[in-house]
PDB file of all heavy atoms in Angstrom:
ATOM      1  N   ASP W   1       0.870  -1.231  -0.006  1.00 91.00           N
ATOM      2  CA  ASP W   1       0.007  -0.026  -0.058  1.00 91.00           C
ATOM      3  C   ASP W   1       0.801   1.228   0.029  1.00 91.00           C
ATOM      4  O   ASP W   1       0.587   2.239  -0.694  1.00 91.00           O
ATOM      5  CB  ASP W   1      -0.895   0.032   1.276  1.00 91.00           C
ATOM      6  CG  ASP W   1      -2.055  -1.032   1.165  1.00 91.00           C
ATOM      7  OD1 ASP W   1      -2.397  -1.408  -0.067  1.00 91.00           O
ATOM      8  OD2 ASP W   1      -2.524  -1.461   2.149  1.00 91.00           O
ATOM      9  N   GLU W   2       2.005   1.250   0.880  1.00 90.00           N
ATOM     10  CA  GLU W   2       2.746   2.315   0.917  1.00 90.00           C
ATOM     11  C   GLU W   2       3.589   2.573  -0.383  1.00 90.00           C
ATOM     12  O   GLU W   2       3.718   3.688  -0.824  1.00 90.00           O
ATOM     13  CB  GLU W   2       3.773   2.159   2.030  1.00 90.00           C
ATOM     14  CG  GLU W   2       4.741   3.386   2.332  1.00 90.00           C
ATOM     15  CD  GLU W   2       4.127   4.779   2.572  1.00 90.00           C
ATOM     16  OE1 GLU W   2       2.888   4.744   2.973  1.00 90.00           O
ATOM     17  OE2 GLU W   2       4.922   5.729   2.454  1.00 90.00           O
ATOM     18  N   TYR W   3       4.097   1.454  -0.924  1.00 92.00           N
ATOM     19  CA  TYR W   3       4.832   1.594  -2.122  1.00 92.00           C
ATOM     20  C   TYR W   3       4.025   2.126  -3.324  1.00 92.00           C
ATOM     21  O   TYR W   3       4.422   2.967  -4.050  1.00 92.00           O
ATOM     22  CB  TYR W   3       5.543   0.258  -2.583  1.00 92.00           C
ATOM     23  CG  TYR W   3       6.387   0.384  -3.755  1.00 92.00           C
ATOM     24  CD1 TYR W   3       7.662   0.750  -3.670  1.00 92.00           C
ATOM     25  CD2 TYR W   3       5.896   0.220  -5.028  1.00 92.00           C
ATOM     26  CE1 TYR W   3       8.511   0.921  -4.790  1.00 92.00           C
ATOM     27  CE2 TYR W   3       6.597   0.357  -6.262  1.00 92.00           C
ATOM     28  CZ  TYR W   3       8.025   0.718  -6.090  1.00 92.00           C
ATOM     29  OH  TYR W   3       8.807   0.844  -7.152  1.00 92.00           O
ATOM     30  N   LEU W   4       2.754   1.634  -3.439  1.00 93.00           N
ATOM     31  CA  LEU W   4       1.910   2.071  -4.536  1.00 93.00           C
ATOM     32  C   LEU W   4       1.584   3.547  -4.338  1.00 93.00           C
ATOM     33  O   LEU W   4       1.537   4.372  -5.416  1.00 93.00           O
ATOM     34  CB  LEU W   4       0.590   1.379  -4.369  1.00 93.00           C
ATOM     35  CG  LEU W   4       0.546  -0.154  -4.863  1.00 93.00           C
ATOM     36  CD1 LEU W   4      -0.725  -0.944  -4.409  1.00 93.00           C
ATOM     37  CD2 LEU W   4       0.675  -0.262  -6.322  1.00 93.00           C
ATOM     38  N   ARG W   5       1.441   3.985  -3.170  1.00 92.00           N
ATOM     39  CA  ARG W   5       1.256   5.388  -2.999  1.00 92.00           C
ATOM     40  C   ARG W   5       2.522   6.253  -3.409  1.00 92.00           C
ATOM     41  O   ARG W   5       2.268   7.259  -4.114  1.00 92.00           O
ATOM     42  CB  ARG W   5       0.995   5.763  -1.539  1.00 92.00           C
ATOM     43  CG  ARG W   5       0.679   7.242  -1.223  1.00 92.00           C
ATOM     44  CD  ARG W   5       0.441   7.399   0.264  1.00 92.00           C
ATOM     45  NE  ARG W   5       1.724   7.290   1.043  1.00 92.00           N
ATOM     46  CZ  ARG W   5       2.607   8.272   1.094  1.00 92.00           C
ATOM     47  NH1 ARG W   5       2.457   9.292   0.496  1.00 92.00           N
ATOM     48  NH2 ARG W   5       3.722   8.021   1.829  1.00 92.00           N
ATOM     49  N   LEU W   6       3.609   5.927  -3.135  1.00 92.00           N
ATOM     50  CA  LEU W   6       4.863   6.535  -3.532  1.00 92.00           C
ATOM     51  C   LEU W   6       5.078   6.419  -4.978  1.00 92.00           C
ATOM     52  O   LEU W   6       5.460   7.408  -5.718  1.00 92.00           O
ATOM     53  CB  LEU W   6       6.019   5.977  -2.806  1.00 92.00           C
ATOM     54  CG  LEU W   6       6.114   6.080  -1.410  1.00 92.00           C
ATOM     55  CD1 LEU W   6       7.215   5.344  -0.723  1.00 92.00           C
ATOM     56  CD2 LEU W   6       6.242   7.569  -0.906  1.00 92.00           C
ATOM     57  N   ALA W   7       4.806   5.218  -5.684  1.00 92.00           N
ATOM     58  CA  ALA W   7       4.911   5.069  -7.064  1.00 92.00           C
ATOM     59  C   ALA W   7       3.907   6.076  -7.807  1.00 92.00           C
ATOM     60  O   ALA W   7       4.265   6.546  -8.891  1.00 92.00           O
ATOM     61  CB  ALA W   7       4.815   3.629  -7.454  1.00 92.00           C
ATOM     62  N   HIS W   8       2.778   6.011  -7.244  1.00 93.00           N
ATOM     63  CA  HIS W   8       1.688   6.878  -7.899  1.00 93.00           C
ATOM     64  C   HIS W   8       2.113   8.333  -7.947  1.00 93.00           C
ATOM     65  O   HIS W   8       2.093   9.068  -8.877  1.00 93.00           O
ATOM     66  CB  HIS W   8       0.503   6.787  -7.174  1.00 93.00           C
ATOM     67  CG  HIS W   8      -0.700   7.668  -7.616  1.00 93.00           C
ATOM     68  ND1 HIS W   8      -1.045   8.783  -6.906  1.00 93.00           N
ATOM     69  CD2 HIS W   8      -1.474   7.653  -8.766  1.00 93.00           C
ATOM     70  CE1 HIS W   8      -2.075   9.360  -7.440  1.00 93.00           C
ATOM     71  NE2 HIS W   8      -2.258   8.757  -8.742  1.00 93.00           N
ATOM     72  N   GLY W   9       2.749   8.817  -6.864  1.00 92.00           N
ATOM     73  CA  GLY W   9       3.174  10.196  -6.697  1.00 92.00           C
ATOM     74  C   GLY W   9       4.414  10.477  -7.723  1.00 92.00           C
ATOM     75  O   GLY W   9       4.391  11.477  -8.314  1.00 92.00           O
ATOM     76  N   ALA W  10       5.201   9.376  -7.694  1.00 91.00           N
ATOM     77  CA  ALA W  10       6.376   9.654  -8.645  1.00 91.00           C
ATOM     78  C   ALA W  10       6.038   9.697 -10.042  1.00 91.00           C
ATOM     79  O   ALA W  10       6.455  10.448 -10.940  1.00 91.00           O
ATOM     80  CB  ALA W  10       7.461   8.537  -8.427  1.00 91.00           C
ATOM     81  N   ALA W  11       5.027   8.830 -10.614  1.00 91.00           N
ATOM     82  CA  ALA W  11       4.646   8.788 -11.818  1.00 91.00           C
ATOM     83  C   ALA W  11       3.946  10.166 -12.189  1.00 91.00           C
ATOM     84  O   ALA W  11       3.999  10.574 -13.257  1.00 91.00           O
ATOM     85  CB  ALA W  11       3.578   7.631 -12.033  1.00 91.00           C
ATOM     86  N   GLU W  12       3.080  10.570 -11.343  1.00 90.00           N
ATOM     87  CA  GLU W  12       2.354  11.858 -11.534  1.00 90.00           C
ATOM     88  C   GLU W  12       3.349  13.056 -11.788  1.00 90.00           C
ATOM     89  O   GLU W  12       3.168  13.836 -12.531  1.00 90.00           O
ATOM     90  CB  GLU W  12       1.400  12.102 -10.284  1.00 90.00           C
ATOM     91  CG  GLU W  12       0.131  11.323 -10.340  1.00 90.00           C
ATOM     92  CD  GLU W  12      -0.873  11.723 -11.433  1.00 90.00           C
ATOM     93  OE1 GLU W  12      -1.344  12.928 -11.384  1.00 90.00           O
ATOM     94  OE2 GLU W  12      -1.100  10.916 -12.351  1.00 90.00           O
ATOM     95  N   ARG W  13       4.410  13.075 -10.862  1.00 90.00           N
ATOM     96  CA  ARG W  13       5.370  14.196 -10.976  1.00 90.00           C
ATOM     97  C   ARG W  13       6.170  14.059 -12.226  1.00 90.00           C
ATOM     98  O   ARG W  13       6.393  15.176 -12.819  1.00 90.00           O
ATOM     99  CB  ARG W  13       6.230  14.166  -9.663  1.00 90.00           C
ATOM    100  CG  ARG W  13       5.579  14.565  -8.476  1.00 90.00           C
ATOM    101  CD  ARG W  13       6.593  14.920  -7.371  1.00 90.00           C
ATOM    102  NE  ARG W  13       7.338  13.617  -7.107  1.00 90.00           N
ATOM    103  CZ  ARG W  13       6.909  12.699  -6.168  1.00 90.00           C
ATOM    104  NH1 ARG W  13       5.802  12.784  -5.467  1.00 90.00           N
ATOM    105  NH2 ARG W  13       7.656  11.588  -6.004  1.00 90.00           N
ATOM    106  N   SER W  14       6.622  12.773 -12.634  1.00 90.00           N
ATOM    107  CA  SER W  14       7.555  12.657 -13.617  1.00 90.00           C
ATOM    108  C   SER W  14       6.805  12.651 -15.060  1.00 90.00           C
ATOM    109  O   SER W  14       7.543  12.838 -16.044  1.00 90.00           O
ATOM    110  CB  SER W  14       8.378  11.481 -13.464  1.00 90.00           C
ATOM    111  OG  SER W  14       7.643  10.343 -13.546  1.00 90.00           O
ATOM    112  N   GLY W  15       5.675  12.120 -15.049  1.00 92.00           N
ATOM    113  CA  GLY W  15       4.925  11.890 -16.332  1.00 92.00           C
ATOM    114  C   GLY W  15       5.312  10.596 -16.923  1.00 92.00           C
ATOM    115  O   GLY W  15       4.928  10.209 -18.072  1.00 92.00           O
ATOM    116  N   ASN W  16       6.014   9.689 -16.085  1.00 91.00           N
ATOM    117  CA  ASN W  16       6.343   8.339 -16.766  1.00 91.00           C
ATOM    118  C   ASN W  16       5.222   7.398 -16.683  1.00 91.00           C
ATOM    119  O   ASN W  16       4.285   7.607 -15.745  1.00 91.00           O
ATOM    120  CB  ASN W  16       7.589   7.801 -15.809  1.00 91.00           C
ATOM    121  CG  ASN W  16       8.823   8.547 -16.133  1.00 91.00           C
ATOM    122  OD1 ASN W  16       9.062   9.125 -17.138  1.00 91.00           O
ATOM    123  ND2 ASN W  16       9.733   8.509 -15.011  1.00 91.00           N
ATOM    124  N   SER W  17       5.240   6.473 -17.516  1.00 94.00           N
ATOM    125  CA  SER W  17       4.276   5.490 -17.520  1.00 94.00           C
ATOM    126  C   SER W  17       4.367   4.516 -16.278  1.00 94.00           C
ATOM    127  O   SER W  17       5.451   4.208 -15.991  1.00 94.00           O
ATOM    128  CB  SER W  17       4.257   4.683 -18.815  1.00 94.00           C
ATOM    129  OG  SER W  17       4.126   5.388 -19.995  1.00 94.00           O
ATOM    130  N   LEU W  18       3.235   3.995 -15.897  1.00 95.00           N
ATOM    131  CA  LEU W  18       3.124   3.190 -14.751  1.00 95.00           C
ATOM    132  C   LEU W  18       2.029   2.187 -14.819  1.00 95.00           C
ATOM    133  O   LEU W  18       0.948   2.601 -15.082  1.00 95.00           O
ATOM    134  CB  LEU W  18       2.912   4.037 -13.322  1.00 95.00           C
ATOM    135  CG  LEU W  18       2.737   3.065 -12.143  1.00 95.00           C
ATOM    136  CD1 LEU W  18       4.043   2.445 -11.830  1.00 95.00           C
ATOM    137  CD2 LEU W  18       2.436   3.994 -10.954  1.00 95.00           C
ATOM    138  N   SER W  19       2.290   0.933 -14.771  1.00 97.00           N
ATOM    139  CA  SER W  19       1.345  -0.081 -14.877  1.00 97.00           C
ATOM    140  C   SER W  19       1.360  -0.989 -13.600  1.00 97.00           C
ATOM    141  O   SER W  19       2.363  -1.162 -12.976  1.00 97.00           O
ATOM    142  CB  SER W  19       1.626  -1.009 -16.151  1.00 97.00           C
ATOM    143  OG  SER W  19       1.470  -0.380 -17.391  1.00 97.00           O
ATOM    144  N   ILE W  20       0.058  -1.344 -13.295  1.00 97.00           N
ATOM    145  CA  ILE W  20      -0.095  -2.076 -12.080  1.00 97.00           C
ATOM    146  C   ILE W  20      -0.624  -3.507 -12.509  1.00 97.00           C
ATOM    147  O   ILE W  20      -1.604  -3.480 -13.234  1.00 97.00           O
ATOM    148  CB  ILE W  20      -0.896  -1.440 -11.058  1.00 97.00           C
ATOM    149  CG1 ILE W  20      -0.195  -0.098 -10.519  1.00 97.00           C
ATOM    150  CG2 ILE W  20      -1.246  -2.322  -9.809  1.00 97.00           C
ATOM    151  CD1 ILE W  20      -1.197   0.722  -9.657  1.00 97.00           C
ATOM    152  N   ALA W  21      -0.079  -4.534 -11.957  1.00 98.00           N
ATOM    153  CA  ALA W  21      -0.640  -5.817 -12.356  1.00 98.00           C
ATOM    154  C   ALA W  21      -0.936  -6.694 -11.010  1.00 98.00           C
ATOM    155  O   ALA W  21      -0.124  -6.636 -10.118  1.00 98.00           O
ATOM    156  CB  ALA W  21       0.268  -6.531 -13.211  1.00 98.00           C
ATOM    157  N   ILE W  22      -2.042  -7.342 -11.088  1.00 98.00           N
ATOM    158  CA  ILE W  22      -2.474  -8.266  -9.989  1.00 98.00           C
ATOM    159  C   ILE W  22      -2.362  -9.659 -10.550  1.00 98.00           C
ATOM    160  O   ILE W  22      -2.997 -10.058 -11.548  1.00 98.00           O
ATOM    161  CB  ILE W  22      -3.873  -7.985  -9.528  1.00 98.00           C
ATOM    162  CG1 ILE W  22      -3.981  -6.541  -9.014  1.00 98.00           C
ATOM    163  CG2 ILE W  22      -4.229  -8.906  -8.288  1.00 98.00           C
ATOM    164  CD1 ILE W  22      -5.347  -6.131  -8.585  1.00 98.00           C
ATOM    165  N   LEU W  23      -1.464 -10.501  -9.915  1.00 98.00           N
ATOM    166  CA  LEU W  23      -1.265 -11.877 -10.254  1.00 98.00           C
ATOM    167  C   LEU W  23      -1.825 -12.868  -9.404  1.00 98.00           C
ATOM    168  O   LEU W  23      -1.550 -12.781  -8.214  1.00 98.00           O
ATOM    169  CB  LEU W  23       0.318 -12.108 -10.457  1.00 98.00           C
ATOM    170  CG  LEU W  23       1.117 -11.161 -11.346  1.00 98.00           C
ATOM    171  CD1 LEU W  23       1.505  -9.968 -10.436  1.00 98.00           C
ATOM    172  CD2 LEU W  23       2.253 -11.898 -11.880  1.00 98.00           C
ATOM    173  N   ASP W  24      -2.740 -13.711  -9.843  1.00 98.00           N
ATOM    174  CA  ASP W  24      -3.523 -14.698  -9.051  1.00 98.00           C
ATOM    175  C   ASP W  24      -3.086 -16.042  -9.491  1.00 98.00           C
ATOM    176  O   ASP W  24      -3.031 -16.464 -10.577  1.00 98.00           O
ATOM    177  CB  ASP W  24      -4.991 -14.430  -9.394  1.00 98.00           C
ATOM    178  CG  ASP W  24      -5.779 -15.341  -8.410  1.00 98.00           C
ATOM    179  OD1 ASP W  24      -6.057 -16.449  -8.749  1.00 98.00           O
ATOM    180  OD2 ASP W  24      -6.468 -14.718  -7.440  1.00 98.00           O
ATOM    181  N   LEU W  25      -2.720 -16.822  -8.351  1.00 96.00           N
ATOM    182  CA  LEU W  25      -2.404 -18.209  -8.579  1.00 96.00           C
ATOM    183  C   LEU W  25      -3.701 -19.030  -8.800  1.00 96.00           C
ATOM    184  O   LEU W  25      -4.561 -19.073  -7.878  1.00 96.00           O
ATOM    185  CB  LEU W  25      -1.717 -18.866  -7.266  1.00 96.00           C
ATOM    186  CG  LEU W  25      -0.838 -20.049  -7.412  1.00 96.00           C
ATOM    187  CD1 LEU W  25       0.136 -20.073  -8.524  1.00 96.00           C
ATOM    188  CD2 LEU W  25      -0.221 -20.344  -6.031  1.00 96.00           C
ATOM    189  N   ASP W  26      -3.820 -19.671  -9.979  1.00 96.00           N
ATOM    190  CA  ASP W  26      -5.071 -20.346 -10.464  1.00 96.00           C
ATOM    191  C   ASP W  26      -5.312 -21.659  -9.533  1.00 96.00           C
ATOM    192  O   ASP W  26      -4.290 -22.360  -9.214  1.00 96.00           O
ATOM    193  CB  ASP W  26      -4.899 -20.771 -11.846  1.00 96.00           C
ATOM    194  CG  ASP W  26      -4.930 -19.690 -12.894  1.00 96.00           C
ATOM    195  OD1 ASP W  26      -5.567 -18.450 -12.400  1.00 96.00           O
ATOM    196  OD2 ASP W  26      -4.347 -19.634 -13.948  1.00 96.00           O
ATOM    197  N   HIS W  27      -6.556 -21.806  -9.282  1.00 93.00           N
ATOM    198  CA  HIS W  27      -6.925 -23.050  -8.541  1.00 93.00           C
ATOM    199  C   HIS W  27      -6.186 -23.256  -7.217  1.00 93.00           C
ATOM    200  O   HIS W  27      -6.140 -24.321  -6.642  1.00 93.00           O
ATOM    201  CB  HIS W  27      -6.793 -24.328  -9.487  1.00 93.00           C
ATOM    202  CG  HIS W  27      -7.444 -24.228 -10.810  1.00 93.00           C
ATOM    203  ND1 HIS W  27      -8.786 -24.140 -10.848  1.00 93.00           N
ATOM    204  CD2 HIS W  27      -6.952 -24.097 -12.080  1.00 93.00           C
ATOM    205  CE1 HIS W  27      -9.192 -24.107 -12.145  1.00 93.00           C
ATOM    206  NE2 HIS W  27      -8.043 -24.146 -12.822  1.00 93.00           N
ATOM    207  N   PHE W  28      -5.987 -22.195  -6.570  1.00 94.00           N
ATOM    208  CA  PHE W  28      -5.191 -22.301  -5.321  1.00 94.00           C
ATOM    209  C   PHE W  28      -5.962 -22.958  -4.245  1.00 94.00           C
ATOM    210  O   PHE W  28      -5.443 -23.796  -3.460  1.00 94.00           O
ATOM    211  CB  PHE W  28      -4.803 -20.893  -4.797  1.00 94.00           C
ATOM    212  CG  PHE W  28      -3.878 -20.997  -3.541  1.00 94.00           C
ATOM    213  CD1 PHE W  28      -2.657 -21.499  -3.451  1.00 94.00           C
ATOM    214  CD2 PHE W  28      -4.486 -20.620  -2.395  1.00 94.00           C
ATOM    215  CE1 PHE W  28      -1.929 -21.567  -2.203  1.00 94.00           C
ATOM    216  CE2 PHE W  28      -3.809 -20.663  -1.158  1.00 94.00           C
ATOM    217  CZ  PHE W  28      -2.498 -21.060  -1.133  1.00 94.00           C
ATOM    218  N   LYS W  29      -7.311 -22.793  -4.153  1.00 92.00           N
ATOM    219  CA  LYS W  29      -8.098 -23.363  -3.168  1.00 92.00           C
ATOM    220  C   LYS W  29      -8.159 -24.984  -3.432  1.00 92.00           C
ATOM    221  O   LYS W  29      -8.116 -25.748  -2.473  1.00 92.00           O
ATOM    222  CB  LYS W  29      -9.563 -22.819  -3.150  1.00 92.00           C
ATOM    223  CG  LYS W  29     -10.481 -23.398  -2.141  1.00 92.00           C
ATOM    224  CD  LYS W  29     -11.833 -22.806  -2.248  1.00 92.00           C
ATOM    225  CE  LYS W  29     -12.807 -23.326  -1.052  1.00 92.00           C
ATOM    226  NZ  LYS W  29     -12.909 -24.729  -1.013  1.00 92.00           N
ATOM    227  N   ASN W  30      -8.183 -25.302  -4.632  1.00 92.00           N
ATOM    228  CA  ASN W  30      -8.160 -26.799  -4.905  1.00 92.00           C
ATOM    229  C   ASN W  30      -6.819 -27.378  -4.568  1.00 92.00           C
ATOM    230  O   ASN W  30      -6.895 -28.558  -3.984  1.00 92.00           O
ATOM    231  CB  ASN W  30      -8.440 -27.067  -6.381  1.00 92.00           C
ATOM    232  CG  ASN W  30      -9.808 -26.688  -6.900  1.00 92.00           C
ATOM    233  OD1 ASN W  30     -10.591 -26.592  -5.998  1.00 92.00           O
ATOM    234  ND2 ASN W  30      -9.926 -26.577  -8.162  1.00 92.00           N
ATOM    235  N   ILE W  31      -5.665 -26.696  -4.555  1.00 93.00           N
ATOM    236  CA  ILE W  31      -4.446 -27.123  -4.157  1.00 93.00           C
ATOM    237  C   ILE W  31      -4.471 -27.369  -2.611  1.00 93.00           C
ATOM    238  O   ILE W  31      -4.032 -28.390  -2.172  1.00 93.00           O
ATOM    239  CB  ILE W  31      -3.303 -26.195  -4.668  1.00 93.00           C
ATOM    240  CG1 ILE W  31      -3.183 -26.177  -6.112  1.00 93.00           C
ATOM    241  CG2 ILE W  31      -1.989 -26.687  -3.931  1.00 93.00           C
ATOM    242  CD1 ILE W  31      -2.268 -25.148  -6.675  1.00 93.00           C
ATOM    243  N   ASN W  32      -4.953 -26.349  -1.883  1.00 92.00           N
ATOM    244  CA  ASN W  32      -4.981 -26.503  -0.530  1.00 92.00           C
ATOM    245  C   ASN W  32      -5.895 -27.650  -0.144  1.00 92.00           C
ATOM    246  O   ASN W  32      -5.612 -28.440   0.797  1.00 92.00           O
ATOM    247  CB  ASN W  32      -5.575 -25.179   0.039  1.00 92.00           C
ATOM    248  CG  ASN W  32      -4.488 -24.339   0.606  1.00 92.00           C
ATOM    249  OD1 ASN W  32      -3.289 -24.762   0.798  1.00 92.00           O
ATOM    250  ND2 ASN W  32      -4.773 -23.033   0.825  1.00 92.00           N
ATOM    251  N   ASP W  33      -7.075 -27.707  -0.703  1.00 92.00           N
ATOM    252  CA  ASP W  33      -7.991 -28.780  -0.269  1.00 92.00           C
ATOM    253  C   ASP W  33      -7.638 -30.087  -0.668  1.00 92.00           C
ATOM    254  O   ASP W  33      -7.835 -31.029   0.096  1.00 92.00           O
ATOM    255  CB  ASP W  33      -9.424 -28.453  -1.024  1.00 92.00           C
ATOM    256  CG  ASP W  33     -10.041 -27.226  -0.490  1.00 92.00           C
ATOM    257  OD1 ASP W  33      -9.715 -26.720   0.594  1.00 92.00           O
ATOM    258  OD2 ASP W  33     -11.036 -26.800  -1.130  1.00 92.00           O
ATOM    259  N   THR W  34      -6.964 -30.290  -1.703  1.00 93.00           N
ATOM    260  CA  THR W  34      -6.550 -31.603  -2.236  1.00 93.00           C
ATOM    261  C   THR W  34      -5.168 -32.135  -1.582  1.00 93.00           C
ATOM    262  O   THR W  34      -5.021 -33.221  -1.098  1.00 93.00           O
ATOM    263  CB  THR W  34      -6.232 -31.615  -3.781  1.00 93.00           C
ATOM    264  OG1 THR W  34      -7.512 -31.225  -4.324  1.00 93.00           O
ATOM    265  CG2 THR W  34      -5.914 -32.967  -4.249  1.00 93.00           C
ATOM    266  N   PHE W  35      -4.217 -31.182  -1.415  1.00 94.00           N
ATOM    267  CA  PHE W  35      -2.959 -31.539  -1.009  1.00 94.00           C
ATOM    268  C   PHE W  35      -2.601 -31.191   0.480  1.00 94.00           C
ATOM    269  O   PHE W  35      -1.544 -31.501   1.050  1.00 94.00           O
ATOM    270  CB  PHE W  35      -1.860 -31.190  -1.965  1.00 94.00           C
ATOM    271  CG  PHE W  35      -2.110 -31.643  -3.303  1.00 94.00           C
ATOM    272  CD1 PHE W  35      -2.383 -30.871  -4.311  1.00 94.00           C
ATOM    273  CD2 PHE W  35      -1.837 -32.962  -3.703  1.00 94.00           C
ATOM    274  CE1 PHE W  35      -2.667 -31.147  -5.574  1.00 94.00           C
ATOM    275  CE2 PHE W  35      -1.938 -33.392  -4.925  1.00 94.00           C
ATOM    276  CZ  PHE W  35      -2.369 -32.560  -5.917  1.00 94.00           C
ATOM    277  N   GLY W  36      -3.284 -30.165   0.934  1.00 95.00           N
ATOM    278  CA  GLY W  36      -3.164 -29.626   2.364  1.00 95.00           C
ATOM    279  C   GLY W  36      -2.406 -28.382   2.331  1.00 95.00           C
ATOM    280  O   GLY W  36      -1.943 -27.902   1.298  1.00 95.00           O
ATOM    281  N   ARG W  37      -2.365 -27.721   3.494  1.00 94.00           N
ATOM    282  CA  ARG W  37      -1.960 -26.385   3.603  1.00 94.00           C
ATOM    283  C   ARG W  37      -0.367 -26.324   3.417  1.00 94.00           C
ATOM    284  O   ARG W  37       0.095 -25.272   2.759  1.00 94.00           O
ATOM    285  CB  ARG W  37      -2.286 -25.816   4.924  1.00 94.00           C
ATOM    286  CG  ARG W  37      -1.925 -24.357   5.199  1.00 94.00           C
ATOM    287  CD  ARG W  37      -2.349 -23.777   6.543  1.00 94.00           C
ATOM    288  NE  ARG W  37      -1.979 -22.475   6.714  1.00 94.00           N
ATOM    289  CZ  ARG W  37      -2.170 -21.677   7.773  1.00 94.00           C
ATOM    290  NH1 ARG W  37      -3.047 -22.145   8.812  1.00 94.00           N
ATOM    291  NH2 ARG W  37      -1.723 -20.485   7.933  1.00 94.00           N
ATOM    292  N   ASP W  38       0.325 -27.223   3.929  1.00 96.00           N
ATOM    293  CA  ASP W  38       1.819 -27.300   3.651  1.00 96.00           C
ATOM    294  C   ASP W  38       2.116 -27.051   2.065  1.00 96.00           C
ATOM    295  O   ASP W  38       3.009 -26.354   1.779  1.00 96.00           O
ATOM    296  CB  ASP W  38       2.396 -28.507   4.211  1.00 96.00           C
ATOM    297  CG  ASP W  38       2.582 -28.457   5.695  1.00 96.00           C
ATOM    298  OD1 ASP W  38       2.247 -27.281   6.242  1.00 96.00           O
ATOM    299  OD2 ASP W  38       2.741 -29.461   6.294  1.00 96.00           O
ATOM    300  N   THR W  39       1.309 -27.878   1.278  1.00 95.00           N
ATOM    301  CA  THR W  39       1.541 -27.842  -0.177  1.00 95.00           C
ATOM    302  C   THR W  39       1.279 -26.460  -0.703  1.00 95.00           C
ATOM    303  O   THR W  39       1.784 -25.944  -1.675  1.00 95.00           O
ATOM    304  CB  THR W  39       0.796 -28.938  -0.769  1.00 95.00           C
ATOM    305  OG1 THR W  39       1.364 -30.213  -0.300  1.00 95.00           O
ATOM    306  CG2 THR W  39       1.007 -28.961  -2.389  1.00 95.00           C
ATOM    307  N   GLY W  40       0.054 -25.885  -0.145  1.00 95.00           N
ATOM    308  CA  GLY W  40      -0.385 -24.612  -0.685  1.00 95.00           C
ATOM    309  C   GLY W  40       0.651 -23.589  -0.326  1.00 95.00           C
ATOM    310  O   GLY W  40       1.068 -22.692  -1.138  1.00 95.00           O
ATOM    311  N   ASP W  41       1.262 -23.686   0.920  1.00 96.00           N
ATOM    312  CA  ASP W  41       2.305 -22.728   1.298  1.00 96.00           C
ATOM    313  C   ASP W  41       3.540 -22.912   0.366  1.00 96.00           C
ATOM    314  O   ASP W  41       4.231 -21.808  -0.063  1.00 96.00           O
ATOM    315  CB  ASP W  41       2.742 -22.974   2.739  1.00 96.00           C
ATOM    316  CG  ASP W  41       1.727 -22.498   3.765  1.00 96.00           C
ATOM    317  OD1 ASP W  41       0.828 -21.816   3.343  1.00 96.00           O
ATOM    318  OD2 ASP W  41       1.839 -22.776   4.978  1.00 96.00           O
ATOM    319  N   HIS W  42       3.895 -24.167   0.048  1.00 95.00           N
ATOM    320  CA  HIS W  42       4.929 -24.372  -0.829  1.00 95.00           C
ATOM    321  C   HIS W  42       4.740 -23.878  -2.266  1.00 95.00           C
ATOM    322  O   HIS W  42       5.594 -23.291  -2.827  1.00 95.00           O
ATOM    323  CB  HIS W  42       5.191 -25.901  -0.991  1.00 95.00           C
ATOM    324  CG  HIS W  42       6.346 -26.236  -1.987  1.00 95.00           C
ATOM    325  ND1 HIS W  42       7.602 -25.771  -1.746  1.00 95.00           N
ATOM    326  CD2 HIS W  42       6.290 -27.036  -2.989  1.00 95.00           C
ATOM    327  CE1 HIS W  42       8.417 -26.129  -2.695  1.00 95.00           C
ATOM    328  NE2 HIS W  42       7.599 -26.989  -3.464  1.00 95.00           N
ATOM    329  N   ALA W  43       3.450 -23.898  -2.756  1.00 96.00           N
ATOM    330  CA  ALA W  43       3.102 -23.238  -3.958  1.00 96.00           C
ATOM    331  C   ALA W  43       3.324 -21.798  -3.941  1.00 96.00           C
ATOM    332  O   ALA W  43       3.796 -21.176  -4.837  1.00 96.00           O
ATOM    333  CB  ALA W  43       1.707 -23.628  -4.412  1.00 96.00           C
TER     334      ALA W  43
END
């Protein structure tokens, strides 16, 4: 949250392009349910 705020301010001041991406691990619930929490943590 803090880094995003700082990056937003820097991009606004400089005019540089800034992209934000959210990356989601597919089927993570199934991994936890099937193999257990330890395997989910390892993933």
Side-chain angles (χ1 to χ4, degrees):
D1 288 336
E2 179 64 14
Y3 185 85
L4 286 167
R5 185 183 67 80
L6 294 173
H8 176 253
E12 284 289 296
R13 288 190 301 272
S14 66
N16 291 334
S17 297
L18 173 67
S19 296
I20 296 173
I22 301 175
L23 304 87
D24 185 279
L25 196 55
D26 292 328
H27 303 296
F28 180 70
K29 185 178 184 303
N30 290 344
I31 293 172
N32 260 346
D33 292 345
T34 303
F35 302 106
R37 183 172 178 178
D38 287 347
T39 300
D41 286 350
H42 179 55

